[in-house]
Amino acid sequence: MHAVVGENGAGKSTLMKILYGMQRPDEGTIAIDGEQVALHSPADAIARGIGMVHQHFMLADNLTVLENTTLGAEKLHGIGGRARARIQEISQAYGLGVRPDALVEDLGVADRQRVEILKVLYRGARTLILDEPTSVLVPQEVDALFDNLRGLKEEGLTVLFISHKLDEVLKVADAITVIRRGTTVAEVDPAGTTSRRLAELMVGSELPSPEASESTVTDTEVLAVRGLTLTEPDADGVARTVLDGISLTIHRGEVLGIAGVEGNGQAELVETIMGMRAADSGSVVLDGKDISGLLTRARREAGIGYIPEDRHRHGLLLEAPLWENRILGHVTEAPNSRRGILHPSAARQDTARIVAEYDVRTPGIEVTAASLSGGNQQKLIVGREMSGDPALLIAAHPTRGVDVGAQAQIWDAVRDARRRGLAVLLISADLDELIGLSDTLRVIYRGRIVADADPATVTSEELGSAMTGAAANGNERPEGDTP
Amino acid sequence: MNANTKPPAAAERPAKGLGKGLGKGIDREKLLLAVAAPVLALIATMVITAIVLLCSGKEPFGALRVMGTYLGYSDYQVNTLNQATTYYLGALAVAFGFRMKLFNIGVDGQYRIGAFFAAVAGGAVNLPAVLEIPMIMVVSMACAGLWAGIAGWLKVTRGVSEVITSIMLNAVAGSVIAYLLNPKRLALAVGNDVRTPKIPDSGHFFSFNLAGGQLWGFIIIAALVGIGFHLLLNRTRFGFDLRATGRSESAALASGVNVKRMVVVSMLVSGALAGLIGMPQLLNSSYQYSVDFPAGIGFTCIGIALVGRNNPVGIAFAALLFAFLDTVANPLQFNGYQVELVPVIEGTIVVCVVGTYEVVRRYGLRRQQSRVGEQLGRTGPTATDTAKGVAA
């Protein structure tokens, strides 16, 4: 039983997807039983005896366990008596206790997970991949799951599971691989390690050092958000408050970091400040000018640079050449156009400048944005948004999906700009990044700012627990308080 | 890409020296691919047409020979150019929408509405030519534009797909014209014909007298509109916003494009261009709108825009091709081929073109990606050093 541990975004899920044939590796090989294989699709993986239990179950609620199990595998044992016999056989062999005729919608989470495992075994898997299997279970169920897994192991099956709950990993795994930012940083024996040591490996001991650069925060307000509230209908059409009276202030030379578990309103906050969503109430003031009523373009012209969370959807025209991407979002600004007329040669020259200054690795500026790697795309975006001296930079996950080298370069670019007096609103899921770059930290939870923290003293663990709404560290803030 | 693709100025900057080299390589390849796609599509069309002819018991390449013969006749050449003028304007109207992923199927109804009201206005007033002709064109463009604007407005306010509304507006346009084209309302009954009053001589556009017949002077307007189309899309902020919206609506939104406004404006412009479709016919040939005013051009133009890849130059070639096929339809019939042959060929072209373009586009993208990867992989982290060597 092998465990893979790592932080959010460390690459665990990507690794598993590659192993399960959902994604193709750029380089490297996979060997099963000593034989090198190329997995092109999950079907290939299943044929080779690899099965995957996803974090989010993939079951049809209105079908029975038997139907769910045979769905897509009808050729194996039919859909009738033989299939039922086989299911019962597997269920008994591994102590899964599954009832073939129960409707999935009547089952609890733990039972559904067992159905998922059964599905995989039914298809003849010898290697099981479990993606964060314990995240949905209560402690007793976790114990039961681990008993099941031990049973599988005793039958000679291999179990590979992903987790970031270190105590559990130490309890059941026979070997642990720690990955960070897409590479294996350690392979450890659970007997000879502690969860503290594992955490250090996961986070990396070289935490970015905030002390390295002295504070550049001034007392000139650049962005002042007051009581921003946004209500939007959710998937079921029920109005939901996504942002609830958010207030914050960012000064010249200050990086304000927002920490929070994803989906707590960060994306909406950014898009509301950018004018892509219309707030129900509250105001956004930039450099003393109320921009609440302005359209996105006018807000950008007023001096906001924006590094979007999803660069493919919001940051780039993938099929357009780099120099056209230089113009995107800055079409009304010099040097891209004058009086409504585009200036392609000037835009090209400026693109060449960005490519050189921000070390965008590209063979030229006529290639499409899609042909660059994620890191280089992001450097181009950062360079573009820094052009024209913005007063405020909104950076949403600026280093997500970016290799280590580009990450350091992007961080340097942000630090440089901050030294020159840029105000930065930083959203990130990478706590190290938040702690390392920010001058001020706020924690967002269910659309409200629930705590603030001092990046000089706070630890990732403390921040992590504040993000879950516990607000144990940092000062509990009364509603509507301004920072 | 185009004439003013200047290679980055400084050759002393090594990274750019390298960029220049590959940049050009990719451009040449892009051009090659751009030509390869239509050529492949035409070959495929010929093969399929030959098979169709074989199945109907005809000699497969005979039709091609007939076409070749008529290509050399000057009257057929003039007819082709006249027809192509109309097609060109219509395909530009469709392409304008396509460039921002708006499917304006309603071009057909738009130009008929435009031409009808233009004919009524032209027949009602008699101004000097410098005013009369622009007045007629403006009326047509305005009416057609507003007609298309209805679809745009419904899309942004009510979220109704422009595909549905614009095609339904075609039917509405037909009914509106049928209602108004009545001696009791805006038309005259002349013998068996029901038509709008004739446009006075001042509203007649000039023609070139050639050996093969009258070449409509409106071809010049069409060429100018083509150039304007190119400049508007590639050299203005508005054009950039439009293309950005077409490439990625979400990125355009984040970049500050007011997408809703763009939808309405684009539909208005697309409709206004559609308003020009009827003009060559009206100002160069019939000078009136009667029940036999050509209909259905809008649908042909959708195919032409697709074949011409929504690009003014490509559309010119596609318009000529379709216009030629239409003019040789009659001679083909004299030579014993079925009337349906031309529509079959035209349909086949569209299907083949759409297929090959997509294949070639994906191939080009993938190839460029792998070439860029290769180039960077080879030079690796010491890109600048290697590049220096290349530049030196």
Side-chain angles (χ1 to χ4, degrees):
Chain A
M1 199 181 298
H2 195 112
V4 175
V5 298
E7 285 183 291
N8 280 336
K12 302 181 301 262
S13 296
T14 311
L15 175 67
M16 294 305 134
K17 278 183 188 160
I18 291 175
L19 289 181
Y20 193 49
M22 288 163 78
Q23 219 165 334
R24 299 273 296 275
D26 291 333
E27 272 173 46
T29 56
I30 302 167
I32 299 173
D33 293 331
E35 182 199 347
Q36 233 180 63
V37 294
L39 303 171
H40 300 293
S41 68
D44 277 1
I46 291 167
R48 306 241 176 222
I50 296 177
M52 175 125 165
V53 176
H54 298 271
Q55 189 174 0
H56 306 284
F57 302 145
M58 308 217 171
L59 297 169
D61 281 355
N62 51 352
L63 299 182
T64 65
V65 171
L66 170 71
E67 287 162 340
N68 264 292
T69 312
T70 52
L71 190 67
E74 297 85 351
K75 283 187 190 143
L76 285 175
H77 309 284
I79 54 168
R82 255 181 332 126
R84 178 179 325 235
R86 178 76 190 130
I87 289 171
Q88 270 156 350
E89 190 186 322
I90 296 173
S91 172
Q92 267 157 21
Y94 303 110
L96 294 175
V98 169
R99 289 166 296 137
D101 295 311
L103 271 179
V104 165
E105 63 188 354
D106 298 334
L107 299 181
V109 177
D111 283 328
R112 288 179 194 212
Q113 191 170 50
R114 280 194 280 272
V115 175
E116 283 280 13
I117 294 174
L118 180 107
K119 254 172 74 180
V120 169
L121 295 174
Y122 184 82
R123 285 159 175 71
R126 305 293 300 162
T127 305
L128 260 74
I129 302 172
L130 292 100
D131 190 359
E132 309 236 349
T134 59
S135 58
V136 290
L137 304 178
V138 300
Q140 298 87 323
E141 292 172 335
V142 171
D143 289 340
L145 171 71
F146 286 160
D147 284 341
N148 288 148
L149 295 183
R150 283 197 197 92
L152 295 174
K153 190 178 81 179
E154 275 150 26
E155 296 294 320
L157 273 69
T158 310
V159 178
L160 190 59
F161 82 97
I162 307 177
S163 180
H164 53 230
K165 294 187 183 165
L166 303 177
D167 294 333
E168 296 169 4
V169 168
L170 286 171
K171 212 155 57 182
V172 297
D174 300 311
I176 301 171
T177 299
V178 184
I179 62 174
R180 172 155 44 94
R181 290 180 193 141
T183 50
T184 306
V185 290
E187 294 190 26
V188 290
D189 176 7
T193 192
T194 62
S195 61
R196 165 123 202 102
R197 172 87 191 103
L198 268 184
E200 279 171 13
L201 284 170
M202 265 169 67
V203 177
S205 42
E206 14 69 79
L207 282 173
S209 47
E211 283 76 26
S213 54
E214 72 288 359
S215 171
T216 54
V217 182
T218 63
D219 52 9
T220 324
E221 281 189 10
V222 174
L223 179 80
V225 174
R226 295 279 170 271
L228 207 58
T229 302
L230 175 73
T231 322
E232 288 203 335
D234 61 9
D236 300 326
V238 181
R240 204 167 60 89
T241 306
V242 219
L243 295 178
D244 190 357
I246 299 245
S247 295
L248 40 90
T249 307
I250 312 180
H251 302 91
R252 260 176 75 81
E254 179 182 10
V255 177
L256 185 134
I258 303 248
V261 175
E262 256 171 89
N264 274 288
Q266 298 94 318
E268 289 81 1
L269 172 63
V270 166
E271 292 182 9
T272 310
I273 296 178
M274 283 307 296
M276 294 158 66
R277 291 168 193 259
D280 295 321
S281 63
S283 67
V284 180
V285 178
L286 182 75
D287 272 339
K289 206 178 104 201
D290 192 335
I291 59 167
S292 319
L294 298 186
L295 294 171
T296 306
R297 171 152 295 161
R299 294 190 193 208
R300 278 178 171 273
E301 285 167 353
I304 304 184
Y306 174 37
I307 302 174
E309 171 177 346
D310 184 337
R311 60 178 162 269
H312 286 180
R313 283 193 66 232
H314 292 128
L316 293 169
L317 301 173
L318 287 172
E319 293 190 20
L322 298 192
W323 66 269
E324 288 200 340
N325 275 289
R326 160 68 184 94
I327 301 177
L328 184 70
H330 302 268
V331 68
T332 54
E333 296 160 25
N336 300 326
S337 72
R338 214 171 31 218
R339 285 191 226 99
I341 305 296
L342 285 191
H343 215 315
S345 58
R348 282 194 173 92
Q349 251 166 36
D350 201 55
T351 312
R353 173 191 66 80
I354 292 175
V355 165
E357 266 178 34
Y358 288 85
D359 187 31
V360 180
R361 304 268 164 84
T362 168
I365 55 168
E366 299 292 338
V367 300
T368 56
S371 47
L372 299 192
S373 72
N376 285 310
Q377 289 174 346
Q378 193 72 347
K379 282 189 277 185
L380 181 77
I381 293 179
V382 172
R384 172 181 81 196
E385 299 303 332
M386 294 286 196
S387 306
D389 277 326
L392 169 75
L393 177 72
I394 299 181
H397 307 279
T399 60
R400 167 174 288 175
V402 154
D403 59 286
V404 189
Q407 187 174 40
Q409 285 170 330
I410 291 168
W411 284 345
D412 284 345
V414 171
R415 286 204 191 94
D416 277 356
R418 156 177 171 265
R419 206 170 301 127
R420 290 197 305 271
L422 182 76
V424 180
L425 175 64
L426 175 70
I427 314 275
S428 182
D430 181 343
L431 298 186
D432 298 338
E433 177 173 275
L434 278 174
I435 295 174
L437 280 182
S438 306
D439 297 299
T440 322
L441 276 173
R442 300 272 183 277
V443 180
I444 191 169
Y445 179 68
R446 295 197 176 155
R448 291 164 61 179
I449 301 280
V450 293
D452 43 275
D454 180 356
T457 54
V458 78
T459 64
S460 294
E461 288 76 17
E462 287 164 351
L463 206 53
S465 71
M467 279 158 51
T468 60
N473 310 291
N475 335 322
E476 180 83 58
R477 295 152 53 84
E479 201 177 334
D481 188 9
T482 52
Chain B
M1 262 187 91
N2 47 44
N4 86 343
T5 304
K6 259 191 280 174
E12 65 269 23
R13 281 217 228 154
K16 284 190 206 155
L18 177 66
K20 201 166 113 188
L22 182 61
K24 269 196 178 157
I26 284 178
D27 275 359
R28 204 176 310 128
E29 201 168 287
K30 231 170 152 181
L31 197 71
L32 200 73
L33 288 177
V35 176
V39 169
L40 277 177
L42 281 183
I43 293 173
T45 308
M46 285 187 201
V47 172
I48 294 173
T49 312
I51 294 172
V52 170
L53 286 172
L54 266 181
C55 293
S56 64
K58 292 273 190 303
E59 201 252 305
F61 293 100
L64 218 62
R65 268 199 305 280
V66 173
M67 288 186 200
T69 316
Y70 280 84
L71 187 61
Y73 295 162
S74 59
D75 50 340
Y76 281 88
Q77 289 167 352
V78 168
N79 283 345
T80 299
L81 285 173
N82 285 346
Q83 184 67 48
T85 302
T86 301
Y87 282 167
Y88 186 63
L89 290 165
L92 285 182
V94 178
F96 196 85
F98 275 153
R99 286 300 274 273
M100 74 165 270
K101 297 242 166 79
L102 274 179
F103 203 166
N104 182 6
I105 293 193
V107 164
D108 204 65
Q110 289 150 24
Y111 89 79
R112 282 187 286 140
I113 281 281
F116 173 74
F117 284 107
V120 169
V125 287
N126 189 357
L127 298 168
V130 281
L131 294 176
E132 179 83 5
I133 292 172
M135 185 276 293
I136 293 173
M137 284 167 61
V138 166
V139 168
S140 180
M141 292 173 78
C143 293
L146 289 174
W147 199 253
I150 299 173
W153 178 75
L154 282 171
K155 185 180 171 78
V156 297
T157 54
R158 290 271 162 261
V160 193
S161 164
E162 78 283 2
V163 178
I164 311 282
T165 45
S166 62
I167 202 164
M168 288 168 81
L169 280 168
N170 282 343
V172 179
S175 308
V176 167
I177 294 171
Y179 175 78
L180 293 175
L181 191 67
N182 185 302
K184 281 184 237 143
R185 298 183 187 93
L186 296 176
L188 310 166
V190 181
N192 282 334
D193 199 11
V194 178
R195 59 171 178 83
T196 59
K198 281 265 186 197
I199 293 174
D201 284 352
S202 63
H204 294 193
F205 210 81
F206 67 89
S207 298
F208 301 100
N209 275 314
L210 300 180
Q214 298 267 313
L215 176 66
W216 295 347
F218 217 80
I219 196 168
I220 291 174
I221 301 279
L224 290 176
V225 171
I227 294 168
F229 181 95
H230 172 80
L231 291 179
L232 179 66
L233 279 174
N234 294 298
R235 288 285 179 276
T236 65
R237 281 177 199 170
F238 172 79
F240 185 86
D241 285 349
L242 184 131
R243 285 183 294 131
T245 313
R247 277 175 163 145
S248 166
E249 191 178 318
S250 52
L253 196 71
S255 85
V257 176
N258 186 345
V259 172
K260 287 190 170 178
R261 216 195 63 175
M262 283 303 287
V263 167
V264 174
V265 173
S266 301
M267 281 308 270
L268 288 173
V269 175
S270 176
L273 284 174
L276 289 172
I277 297 175
M279 293 301 100
Q281 170 75 21
L282 191 68
L283 301 176
N284 266 129
S285 173
S286 65
Y287 313 117
Q288 62 183 18
Y289 193 105
S290 54
V291 274
D292 62 351
F293 198 83
I297 296 172
F299 295 105
T300 314
C301 290
I302 294 173
I304 295 172
L306 283 172
V307 174
R309 315 184 83 176
N310 304 322
N311 168 301
V313 178
I315 290 174
F317 284 111
L320 283 170
L321 177 64
F322 274 64
F324 173 68
L325 287 172
D326 280 3
T327 38
V328 293
N330 277 334
L332 279 173
Q333 217 182 330
F334 304 151
N335 284 281
Y337 293 94
Q338 281 92 339
V339 208
E340 291 81 11
L341 181 59
V342 164
V344 166
I345 296 176
E346 288 177 349
T348 315
I349 292 177
V350 174
V351 171
C352 291
V353 155
V354 172
T356 46
Y357 283 175
E358 188 57 22
V359 170
V360 168
R361 189 186 71 87
R362 286 189 192 170
Y363 169 80
L365 264 184
R366 245 203 331 271
R367 181 158 163 77
Q368 190 182 347
Q369 252 160 9
S370 69
R371 278 188 63 178
V372 169
E374 231 171 66
Q375 189 106 11
L376 293 177
R378 203 168 57 230
T379 53
T382 56
T384 11
D385 299 341
T386 324
K388 257 178 205 149
V390 173

